Amino acid sequence: MDKLETLQNLPREILNQDALLKNANMLLDTMLDFRELMLCYSCAIKEIRTKLEILDKEFEVQTSRNPIAGIQTRLKSQTSVMEKMARKGLEFTRENIENNLNDIAGLRVICSYVDDIYKIADALTAQDDIVLIEKKDYIQNPKENGYRSLHLIVTVPVFFAEHTKIVRAEVQIRTIAMDFWASLEHEIKYKKSIENPEQISQKLKKCSEMIAYTDAMMQSIRMQADSSQGEESEEDKIFQKLKRVDKSLE
Ligand code: 0O2
C-alpha cells in the first residue's frame, strides 16, 4: 500500500472509529436505561413484599396463626425479557417493555389454606396505593392441565428522591399444596422426550384434583377446630392478644 492510499483510507478509518464509539455509547446508554428500569421493578418487589409481611403480622396478632407460609420473589432476567419481547413480536424498547410485560417483578405468596389466599388478595388490593389491573382466578377456574393459583397484576408506586414511578408486578398466590404441584409440573414439563406424554398429563391432572380435595379438607378441619375451641374469658382473650403483639414485636 503506497502513502497516497494510506492517506485516502485515513478519513474512513477515523469515521469508522467515530461510528464505533457512537454505537458503543448508545449500547451503554441502552444498558443503563434497562438497568434503571430493572431497579424500579426490584424496588416494587420490596414494596409489595413489605405490604404482605405486614398483613401476615396483622393476621397473626388477630388470629394467632400466619396465613402466609412463605414469599418467593424473582426479577425476570434480561434474557427472559428479551425472549418474551421477541415472542410477542415487539421491539426491545423501554416503553414496549413497560406497557407489555406484566411479570418482570414477580412475587409468589404461599398460603396455608385456600381462604387465606382470598383474604391476602383482598387486603392487598384494598390498599390505597395498589391498583388491580387484572385478576386471573385459576382456583375457581383451574387450567386444563390442573394448574391452580390466583394471579394478580397490580401496580404499586415506588417513591424515589425526585420522582415517583408506578410499577407493575405479578403476584401469584397459592396454597402449599398447589405450589408443590406447580413446581413439580413445571419441572416435568421441561423434561425433553418424555414417553407417554398424554398419560403423564392425565396423571398430573388427577394429582391436581387430589390436591384440591386435600386443600378443601384441611380448611374444613381447621374451621371445625376453630369453632370447637372452648370459650375464653374476656381477660384471657386480652392477655393472649397482648402476648401475640409482644411476640410480633420481637
Ligand atoms: P415464570 O418463569 O414462572 O415466570 P403472560 O405472562 O400474561 O404473557 P399468561 O400465560 O397469560 O402469560 O399468564 P398466566 O396465565 O398468568 O401465567 C403466567 C405464569 O403463571 C407463568 O409464568 C407460570 O409462573 C405460572 N403458570 C401458568 N400456567 C402454569 C402451568 O400450567 N404450570 C405451572 N407450573 N405454572 C404455570 P412463566 O412466564 O411461564 O414462567
Side-chain angles (χ1 to χ4, degrees), residues 17-249:
Q17 273 180 11
D18 244 22
L20 217 67
L21 209 70
K22 229 185 229 166
N23 278 342
N25 279 344
M26 262 169 64
L27 195 70
L28 273 175
D29 221 38
T30 313
M31 270 172 67
L32 182 67
D33 208 32
F34 184 77
R35 302 305 290 171
E36 275 176 3
L37 185 61
M38 287 298 120
L39 177 68
C40 295
Y41 286 107
S42 157
C43 294
I45 290 176
K46 285 197 179 114
E47 293 277 1
I48 299 175
R49 189 188 185 111
T50 303
K51 286 175 178 294
L52 291 163
E53 284 169 354
I54 291 171
L55 287 173
D56 188 52
K57 277 255 177 256
E58 188 192 359
F59 283 123
E60 184 189 350
V61 169
Q62 280 172 357
T63 64
S64 87
R65 65 171 195 87
N66 295 82
I68 298 179
I71 302 173
Q72 298 160 7
T73 63
R74 73 108 182 81
L75 189 65
K76 223 175 179 64
S77 70
Q78 188 166 344
T79 322
S80 298
V81 173
M82 285 166 88
E83 268 171 12
K84 200 157 187 176
M85 293 296 283
R87 223 182 314 131
K88 286 181 178 261
L90 294 166
E91 211 187 315
F92 193 75
T93 65
R94 186 180 175 131
E95 205 186 2
N96 276 347
I97 294 173
E98 286 188 78
N99 292 337
N100 295 283
L101 299 195
N102 294 325
D103 64 340
I104 296 183
L107 294 102
R108 191 166 287 156
V109 187
I110 317 297
C111 289
S112 304
Y113 299 96
V114 180
D115 59 353
D116 290 332
I117 296 176
Y118 294 100
K119 237 190 295 181
I120 292 293
D122 290 346
L124 178 71
T125 53
Q127 297 192 359
D128 289 346
D129 55 354
I130 291 276
V131 176
L132 178 67
I133 306 288
E134 195 184 349
K135 184 179 189 170
K136 288 188 201 163
D137 192 341
Y138 295 127
I139 299 169
Q140 291 294 319
N141 308 296
K143 278 195 166 182
E144 189 44 41
N145 61 357
Y147 176 75
R148 287 173 161 82
S149 191
L150 181 70
H151 290 194
L152 309 175
I153 305 294
V154 298
T155 63
V156 64
V158 177
F159 299 97
F160 293 102
E162 284 169 12
H163 72 288
T164 302
K165 177 104 187 125
I166 303 293
V167 186
R168 275 192 215 183
E170 183 190 62
V171 185
Q172 299 181 351
I173 319 179
R174 51 173 82 144
T175 60
I176 300 166
M178 290 171 195
D179 188 55
F180 156 72
W181 182 93
S183 305
L184 299 189
E185 188 264 357
H186 188 263
E187 213 180 278
I188 294 166
K189 202 160 60 180
Y190 287 99
K191 280 202 195 311
K192 290 190 183 94
S193 59
I194 308 176
E195 279 179 28
N196 298 324
E198 290 216 340
Q199 195 189 40
I200 286 183
S201 298
Q202 274 173 15
K203 283 185 178 173
L204 279 168
K205 196 167 177 177
K206 185 88 196 131
C207 283
S208 155
E209 283 156 10
M210 283 154 70
I211 274 168
Y213 173 77
T214 310
D215 264 338
M217 280 292 282
M218 291 305 285
Q219 184 169 303
S220 90
I221 293 168
R222 189 209 75 216
M223 284 165 130
Q224 192 183 347
D226 283 352
S227 63
S228 63
Q229 240 180 358
E231 208 27 63
E232 276 177 320
S233 71
E234 277 311 304
E235 200 184 5
D236 272 351
K237 276 186 196 164
I238 293 170
F239 270 122
Q240 288 307 322
K241 196 161 181 179
L242 202 61
K243 266 192 204 162
R244 295 200 292 266
V245 175
D246 280 347
K247 190 175 158 250
S248 71
L249 289 174

